[in-house]
Structure formats: C-alpha cells, structure tokens
Amino acid sequence: MLAGAVFLVVALGSASFFQIAGGAGTRAGYIWIVWLVATTFLVVALLSETHRLSRAVATNERRLRGIVDGVADALVSVDARGAVVSVNRAAAALFGFVAEEMIGTSVTRMLPDYTSVAGQQEATIVETVGRDARGTLFPVEFARGRDVTAGLGDERIIILRDITQRKAAEEAIRAAHDRAVEVAEIKSQFLATMSHEIRTPINAVVGMSELLLGTPLSDEARDYAVTVRDSADSLLAVVNDILDFSKIEAGRMDLESIPFAPVAALENATDILGAAARKKGLSLATYVAPDVPRRVLGDADRLRQVFLNLIGNAVKFTERGSVTVRAVVERVEPEKTVVLRFSVTDTGPGIAPDAAGHLFEPFRQADQSTRRRYGGTGLGLSISRRLVELMGGSIGFESTVGGGATFWFTVPFAQVVRDGEGMRTGALRGARVLVVDPEGEARQAVDQYLFAWGVVASSTANAAHGLELAKAAVARSGAYDAVIVDRGAGDDAFALGARLHAIAGLEAVPLVLVTGANETSSLHEARAKGFAAVVRKPIRRSVLHDALVAAIDGAVAPTIPVATFDGVVTQRGGDMLVLVAEDNPVNRKLALQQLKKLGYRAHAVTDGREAIEAVTHGNYDLVLMDCQMPEVDGFEATRAIRRAENARGGHVPIVAMTANALEGDRDACLAAGMDDYLAKPVQLAALGALVERFARGVRVAG
Amino acid sequence: MPDKAVLDLSRLEEAFEDDRTGIAELLEMALETGKKHRRLLEEGLASADPAVVARAAHGIKGSAGTIGATVVYELAIELDERARAGNLTGTRERIDAIDAAYARVADQVREYRAGLS
C-alpha cells in the first residue's frame, strides 16, 4: 500500500509540475489537490507504519525485560572497559543496589576479582567472590554468557548466582565429617588409654593376688584373696570383651596369618576351662579327627578366643553332664585350603526358639534372667561371630529346650602340613587295647583316636564288663596289649587294675590311667599300684598316643604335662637378669631401683646401640626397652636383635616402655618384634606383674 | 613432706622405701636433666624446629612423670603432643608455665633435702 501511495505521489507530483509549467489553469489545480491528498495519505501511512513498528519493538523489549528480570540468576552486561551497562532485577537484589546505581560503575565494585575470571571460556562456571552495597563479601558462581555487539564495542553478559547457602551447607558437611573423624580419633585414643589404664592395674591386681596366695595365709585371708583374684579376672574379661568388640566395630581387628596347630589352640582352651568344668563336676572331652591338619595358617589367638567363648558358655550354662569339643575336616578345597568344623556340644538347658534369633547380636543374652544369673557382657557370642566371619567362616548352633545345645563354626585355613601324625601312628598299628571309661564322650573320643591309629579297641563303660572282656580275650588267646582305665571307672580304678593284673595271661599288661588334671599326686600312687602311665583330662591326642606307645614298649611313660597355672606359684627368679635400655637417667635410675626392690638383678644401657651390644654379649632373661631413644631407638634396636636371633636362634623377651599409650604405638612395638609393653611412668606393681609373667616363661601380649 | 599436688613422691617411695637419700639424689638428677631439656626447648623454639621441641618436651615429660612432678608432667605432655603435630603456637606461654611449675618443684626438692640433714 505504501508503495502504491509513493507511486501516486511521485506520478501526480510530476504531472502537476509539468501542468503548472505548461499553464493549464483549473486542471492543474485539480491535480495539485490530488497530489496533496496523496502526500497526506502517504505521511499518515508512514506514520502509522512507524508507530506499528515501534510498538512491536516496545513489546519485544518488554517481553525480554520481563524474561531478564524474571530470571532468578543475576545478569549483568559489561562493556569492554569493565563498566556496567545493564543489570536485571536479580542482580540489583543480589548486590543490594538500586539498578540505576550500578549502571556505569565499574563491575569490580561488585566483583573484586572480575579481571581474573572474565577471560574464561563461554558457558563455563567458576566460583568467585561478590561484594554487596555494604561491602560484605560473599561467594558467587560466575558464568560468562555470549558477547553481544553494541554501539561502542562488545558487551559481555555475565551470569551470577549467590552460593552462600550451598557453601554453608558444604562447610557444615565438612565440619560434621571432621568432627566425626575427630570423635572417632578421640574414641580410639580413649580405648588405647583404657587398655592401659584399666588393664595394667587389673593385671597387677591379678598378679599380686596370685603372689599373695603363694604366701602363708589364714583361711579367711585366703578366701578374700581368692575373691579378689577371681573378681579381677572377670573384670579383665569384661574389659577385654568391650575392647575387642570396639576394635572389631571400628574395623581395627587385624588377623594374623602364621602357622599354628589348631589342635593345640583347642586343647589349650579346654585346659584353661578344665578347672571350671571339674569344679561343676562336668566331664569335658575333646575329640580331634585324625585328618585334621597338624599345622595351618591363621590366627591361633583369635581361634582360641572363639573356643574359650563357646566352651566357656557351655561350661557356664550346663549344670550336669558333659561338654564335648570336636574338630573335624568339613571339606578340602583346591589350593590346599581345608575347611575345619569345630563344635561344642553340651547337655545344658538348651535355647528357646524365640531367644535363638538374636543370640549372636551384641549385648543380647538368651534372656534377662540369664544376665542376672550368669553375668557376662553378652558380647561373647557376638565377638565370636565377628571373629569367625573375619576368618572367612560361619557360625551357628542347634538346640532344643532341655536337650542341650551344639554351637559350631567352620573356618577355612590354608594348609601347612597335612596329617603330620602319620609318621608316628604306625607305632600302634594292630595293637589291642581295652578301654574302661564310664564317661561316654571321653570314651568315644578315645575310641576314635585308637581307631585312627590302627588300634583294635574294645570299650566299655562298666568295670565288671571290662573284666569280662579281658577274661574272654585271654580265653581266645588274644590278650590285650594295654588297658586304659578311667579314674572314675567303678569304685576304685586301682582295684580294677589289680583285678586285671590278677587275670592269668594279663599279669604284665600295661595299664594307663585317665585322670582329672589336678590329681597330680596320683602319679606316684598310680605307679605304685602298677599303672604304667597317667593321662589327664581333657585327653590330648598326642599325649594319649605317646603314653600308649611308651606303656606298650615298656618304656618309662612320659611325665604328665605341667598342670595349669591355677594353684601353681613359682618363686621369684632371683637369678633372673634384666636389661634396662633407657636414655633418660631419671627413668633409668628408677627402673633399676624398682627391679632391685622386686628382687631382680638388672643392668642398664643408655641407647639402642648399647642395648644391641649388651644383648649380643650378655645373657639376659628380659629386656625393658624405651621406645624413644636418640640415635638407635627402641624399635630399631629390637628389630636388630630379632634379626640376629633369626640367624643364630633364641628369643629374649623384649618389653617396650612407652610414654604414649596409643594403639599405634602398641602395634608398632609388636610389629618391631617386642613381646609386650609397659606404660610410662612405670608402676612398680605393673612392672612386678610383667616381669613375673616372663619369669614364668609365659608370654602375654596384651 | 612435699605438697602432693606439686611433687607426688609415692612412686619413688614405693621403690626406694626408706632410702630418702636415694630419693633426694634422684630428685636432684631430675632437676639437672630438666635443665638440660629446658635448654634444648629454648633451642628448638629459637630455630622453630618442632622436632627439637618435641624431643625436649618428651624428656621433660619422662623425668617429671617419674619423680611425680605432676603439673610439669601434664604441661610437658601437652607441649610434646602439640610439637609432634608440628604446632609451635603458644610454646612460649607453655614454657613459661613449665618454668613456674618447675620452680615450685625445685622449692619442694630443696625442702626435702633440708629435711634430711
């Protein structure tokens, strides 16, 4: 339309001009009017078009403005000189300005670090700092948008976002994490301190009350001392449980992998608990299947701990009857791995099904009355389960109320030597042995051992039946090579022995007496009554084997192993020689004085090098080693001494004296080859208990 | 008898029993050793070497703990731990505190000696 109007105006305009020039009167006037109208029309049309365009522009701008102002992020456009050209509402709000105040000012007023972040790639986001109208700094996210070309040059669009809250949240998370780490640290330090500050004095109480019991006491005083010792013992057990549990929970329980005899671990545990079983009149029997490997790789102490817990529970909860411990091979896996299955069967009250579900959970016992009646932390089974699981095995139990319980666990071990007793079992192959033992479990175990050794065995629970069997055997000219008689067989095992020897053809049959552990005096009596050997309960496979071989060969029976420590008090080793390696003269002098007071001889050296020298040339029974010494420290000296021992044999006990009772220190001490450690400043009683332990040749690594 | 809060002689008495001369000798020895470590502490601080400060503090801790100089012992533990963590801020203040506590121990030791003759 506009084009038409322009044409008309131009055409009419030129026509009227020629007409006027040609002088054509009214006609020319007419054309002129038409031209005027057309021109007017053109002007109006132009004006209206302009108006329409400008309205469209304004609408667009309003729309854009609306978008820009509606964006939650702050948008700022900055010119090449760094002056703010425009801002959106969010930007004004972010910095606390009125928008107009910002226009024209340097952007560094709001973004002090603008120059260092301005040059980055388009659409990448960095963190920088913003400054508001009051000068407060706060963290912002900075993104560079697309540059736009404008009048004076490029304008840069930047997008900003306040991240104060996010930062605060991040900071809070970090702080919470740091705090948690710190708390864990404090906790483990606390536990380390516990281990010393509680265990050391309790050990001293136990040690000292044992010493006290070795002195002449009135019955009443003895009674008190026994109570002190037993209470300290149970307190120590509780503390150890809690420490173990915390250690496992914290993932700090490290298992060893060194060769050990699983049978020894089991028998050691039954030895320890044998006294408690006997006190209650329970029979405690062990059976180890012949194919259980002699040595495997693993953690003997932890395995023994599980035994102690399970057997201890069985003894604790069983009022009459027996506790039987078994070790068998569950299966042999490739790569020389053998899975052993251990079980502890008792004739106790059994476990109700509703209690069974949470038996292995921490702090739970079968019921609350159990806690009141039997005590304990309720951690034992839970620790056992975790230890077994750490060893890669599983644990469980079968029980019926009133029908006793069997707790079992399996552990895979790498095998070191398989069936090591094979060489020796030949000695008994084909021998004929009669077993008279009223205790079913013990008899069964003996039978199985004998069977494994190739012995032809007859067994009975009854003395009279035993005599009949013996007579019958002689009658068919198959006299026994040996008879094993339990002390509890018939009214009098010695009488039974005499009657066996009275049978024609059995006059010289070797008799082996099976007896309780504490009846040491009966060895002489047994010999006098014609018995060739005495084996104490719980019966050890190797001891029974050797006793039988010796008895049949007519050799002197092996002496029975030394009884467990209860009741045995050794004299202080007056000839024991201790070396003190300590650089601090004050500590050195006190340690020497303390040892003197305790009745031990001692020498002192002042650093690690002298300690190595002294141990190499001297003959020390114990070394007390300060950890932190100048030049060669205690750890290094210990490592050097152990290296030398590896070459020439021997093992001098080395006890660390450390001023930092931290778990890491303890581990470092043991890792360096030390046997135990003492916290400084050294308490006389703790030192006494410790030297006492080593004087007896017992290693107790905390 | 010394003030137990400053100098607790029970450990020494347990070991030395009636040998009060022996105790006095050990106390003198502890003060001498303390001086040596005190000098080392100053050196460590002067060279801003936490390892040296820790070694000195450890030495002070050892002797003080042994003779039962409880306050010095506690201060030295703190200083030892901080120095081992590489932290030397506040060392000067702690040295001053140790000096003050040590002075009281020295007084007690003097008294103890005087009581012997």
Side-chain angles (χ1 to χ4, degrees):
Chain A
M1 187 190 79
L2 194 61
V6 170
F7 175 76
L8 200 61
V9 168
V10 171
L12 288 174
S14 36
S16 63
F17 175 77
F18 290 117
Q19 289 300 326
I20 292 162
T26 28
R27 188 153 172 213
Y30 171 73
I31 288 172
W32 189 83
I33 287 168
V34 170
W35 181 80
L36 195 66
V37 168
T39 304
T40 307
F41 177 76
L42 177 65
V43 168
V44 167
L46 274 172
L47 281 175
S48 120
E49 183 66 11
T50 309
H51 180 67
R52 194 184 64 78
L53 276 173
S54 73
R55 258 182 49 194
V57 167
T59 308
N60 260 340
E61 188 167 335
R62 271 205 310 278
R63 189 180 293 133
L64 274 173
R65 195 72 228 169
I67 291 169
V68 167
D69 276 341
V71 170
D73 289 335
L75 302 175
V76 180
S77 62
V78 181
D79 68 18
R81 294 165 306 151
V84 174
V85 179
S86 69
V87 297
N88 70 346
R89 225 175 262 160
L94 178 64
F95 294 103
F97 287 107
V98 178
E100 287 71 25
E101 287 177 336
M102 295 171 74
I103 311 290
T105 63
S106 167
V107 70
T108 53
R109 184 173 162 198
M110 276 76 68
L111 296 170
D113 293 335
Y114 176 74
T115 43
S116 63
V117 293
Q120 59 153 336
Q121 287 282 316
E122 199 176 284
T124 55
I125 296 170
V126 292
E127 283 176 16
T128 183
V129 63
R131 178 164 56 200
D132 69 13
R134 283 177 306 181
T136 310
L137 298 176
F138 57 96
V140 290
E141 246 176 26
F142 176 104
R144 179 178 152 192
R146 177 154 298 178
D147 290 355
V148 290
T149 309
L152 288 169
D154 283 356
E155 267 179 30
R156 179 158 298 168
I157 308 290
I158 57 179
I159 304 147
L160 302 165
R161 183 178 292 177
D162 183 0
I163 52 170
T164 307
Q165 283 190 349
R166 198 184 80 200
K167 280 290 188 192
E170 280 172 11
E171 193 47 51
I173 289 166
R174 192 173 305 119
H177 175 259
D178 288 352
R179 176 81 193 134
V181 168
E182 195 187 337
V183 166
E185 194 73 11
I186 290 168
K187 217 167 112 184
S188 69
Q189 283 208 7
F190 170 73
L191 285 175
T193 314
M194 278 256 288
S195 67
H196 276 284
E197 303 309 316
I198 298 181
R199 281 203 271 194
T200 308
I202 300 176
N203 274 324
V205 172
V206 173
M208 292 295 124
S209 44
E210 270 169 14
L211 283 176
L212 185 62
L213 284 167
T215 63
L217 290 178
S218 70
D219 285 350
E220 197 184 359
R222 175 166 304 276
D223 218 32
Y224 294 154
V226 166
T227 309
V228 169
R229 185 197 57 191
D230 292 352
S231 308
D233 260 343
S234 18
L235 185 56
L236 197 56
V238 171
V239 170
N240 284 341
D241 267 5
I242 294 170
L243 284 171
D244 278 347
F245 184 74
S246 321
K247 242 184 181 176
I248 295 171
E249 287 294 279
R252 293 163 67 110
M253 177 69 83
D254 296 320
L255 295 181
E256 284 187 320
S257 185
I258 50 172
F260 77 101
V263 177
L266 187 154
E267 289 179 340
N268 181 282
T270 51
D271 272 355
I272 290 171
L273 292 163
R278 277 192 305 279
K279 214 176 276 177
K280 294 181 81 175
L282 299 173
S283 103
L284 177 57
T286 58
Y287 169 68
V288 179
D291 55 347
V292 168
R294 195 172 52 164
R295 282 161 82 73
V296 294
L297 274 185
D299 193 322
D301 285 344
R302 296 305 167 197
L303 185 67
R304 196 183 54 171
Q305 192 176 352
V306 180
F307 285 142
L308 282 174
N309 177 249
L310 296 186
I311 301 169
N313 278 349
V315 170
K316 186 153 89 174
F317 294 116
T318 305
E319 291 310 327
R320 62 183 66 82
S322 63
V323 174
T324 311
V325 189
R326 288 188 185 83
V328 299
V329 173
E330 168 121 329
R331 62 181 185 277
V332 178
E333 291 181 342
E335 303 296 325
K336 289 181 87 180
T337 296
V338 60
V339 179
L340 298 184
R341 182 189 175 89
F342 305 98
S343 64
V344 178
T345 303
D346 65 50
T347 55
I351 294 149
D354 59 331
H358 49 243
L359 211 53
F360 289 103
E361 286 171 23
F363 310 109
R364 300 296 282 268
Q365 289 176 327
D367 59 61
Q368 286 307 308
S369 65
T370 308
R371 191 184 301 266
R372 282 195 297 276
R373 202 164 142 208
Y374 298 101
T377 53
L379 282 175
L381 280 178
S382 148
I383 291 170
S384 293
R385 188 186 77 185
R386 281 152 211 251
L387 285 178
V388 167
E389 285 170 356
L390 274 177
M391 292 190 270
S394 53
I395 190 167
F397 72 97
E398 288 110 35
S399 177
T400 49
V401 175
T406 295
F407 279 82
W408 56 265
F409 66 100
T410 60
V411 179
F413 289 106
Q415 224 164 299
V416 181
V417 179
R418 178 111 191 271
D419 192 20
E421 289 198 335
M423 294 160 288
R424 295 196 291 141
T425 53
L428 290 171
R429 194 166 303 281
R432 283 156 303 178
V433 173
L434 172 66
V435 182
V436 186
D437 192 331
E439 279 180 16
E441 288 78 13
R443 194 176 65 244
Q444 250 177 357
V446 170
D447 278 352
Q448 280 167 308
Y449 290 148
L450 296 178
F451 178 76
W453 296 328
V455 171
V456 182
S458 320
S459 66
T460 176
N462 180 293
H465 187 226
L467 282 170
E468 278 170 31
L469 284 172
K471 281 176 194 156
V474 174
R476 55 169 202 271
S477 65
Y480 289 109
D481 295 308
V483 182
I484 298 171
V485 180
D486 188 281
R487 187 76 202 254
D491 290 337
D492 187 346
F494 294 143
L496 176 61
R499 290 173 72 183
L500 281 164
H501 275 166
I503 297 168
L506 284 181
E507 294 90 347
V509 69
L511 302 174
V512 175
L513 183 70
V514 174
T515 176
N518 277 357
E519 300 168 38
T520 46
S521 64
S522 64
L523 176 61
H524 305 288
E525 198 185 352
R527 286 264 170 78
K529 303 276 186 183
F531 280 76
V534 179
V535 173
R536 70 179 173 86
K537 281 184 184 172
I539 298 171
R540 293 186 174 206
R541 187 166 70 169
S542 57
V543 170
L544 179 66
H545 180 271
D546 292 350
L548 268 179
V549 170
I552 291 171
D553 286 355
V556 181
T559 48
I560 59 165
V562 181
T564 43
F565 287 112
D566 45 359
V568 179
V569 176
T570 46
Q571 288 303 305
R572 278 190 180 153
D575 53 348
M576 182 145 169
L577 184 58
V578 182
L579 179 70
V580 177
E582 162 72 75
D583 70 314
N584 187 318
V586 181
N587 297 352
R588 193 165 60 233
K589 191 174 162 93
L590 179 68
L592 289 175
Q593 180 63 33
Q594 286 175 323
L595 287 165
K596 186 174 151 196
K597 154 93 179 162
L598 289 165
Y600 298 105
R601 292 184 302 137
H603 295 163
V605 290
T606 62
D607 66 36
R609 189 163 293 129
E610 288 178 9
I612 300 167
E613 189 77 4
V615 169
T616 312
H617 296 108
N619 194 18
Y620 295 99
D621 301 296
L622 177 66
V623 179
L624 299 178
M625 183 83 82
D626 180 29
C627 289
Q628 293 190 27
M629 289 184 287
E631 310 290 333
V632 178
D633 69 15
F635 301 114
E636 209 180 320
T638 302
R639 280 192 289 269
I641 290 168
R642 293 291 179 241
R643 270 197 302 274
E645 284 173 347
N646 280 342
R648 60 149 215 272
H651 180 100
V652 59
I654 300 178
V655 174
M657 294 188 292
T658 165
N660 311 309
L662 296 175
E663 191 74 4
D665 266 36
R666 193 195 110 92
D667 290 347
C669 291
L670 298 183
M674 297 180 184
D675 298 86
D676 208 333
Y677 72 141
L678 260 182
K680 286 207 284 192
V682 175
Q683 306 281 348
L684 183 69
L687 180 66
L690 180 121
V691 182
E692 185 69 26
R693 282 208 302 273
F694 284 97
R696 292 199 303 216
V698 182
R699 184 189 150 198
V700 182
Chain B
M1 274 293 105
D3 176 0
K4 266 192 182 265
V6 177
L7 185 60
D8 180 356
L9 291 180
S10 57
R11 182 176 291 103
L12 299 189
E13 282 164 348
E14 194 180 40
F16 284 88
E17 293 181 336
D18 293 337
D19 180 7
R20 300 192 65 189
T21 316
I23 293 179
E25 276 171 20
L26 190 65
L27 290 174
E28 290 292 341
M29 185 189 269
L31 289 184
E32 281 309 307
T33 316
K35 277 183 204 159
K36 199 185 83 192
H37 288 129
R38 176 66 184 76
R39 280 195 296 275
L40 189 62
L41 202 54
E42 206 62 54
E43 281 169 31
L45 190 60
S47 58
D49 185 346
V52 174
V53 172
R55 201 163 76 234
H58 185 81
I60 292 174
K61 177 174 83 172
S63 318
T66 294
I67 61 166
T70 318
V71 181
V72 177
Y73 176 65
E74 300 291 344
L75 288 166
I77 286 179
E78 200 194 339
L79 190 55
D80 180 21
E81 278 169 4
R82 293 172 66 93
R84 266 191 298 153
N87 182 357
L88 287 186
T89 53
T91 301
R92 174 50 63 196
E93 289 79 354
R94 284 175 175 79
I95 291 178
D96 292 345
I98 286 176
D99 282 347
Y102 239 131
R104 289 198 290 154
V105 173
D107 285 347
Q108 299 279 346
V109 172
R110 248 193 311 281
E111 270 179 40
Y112 187 83
R113 279 214 82 108
L116 287 186
S117 48

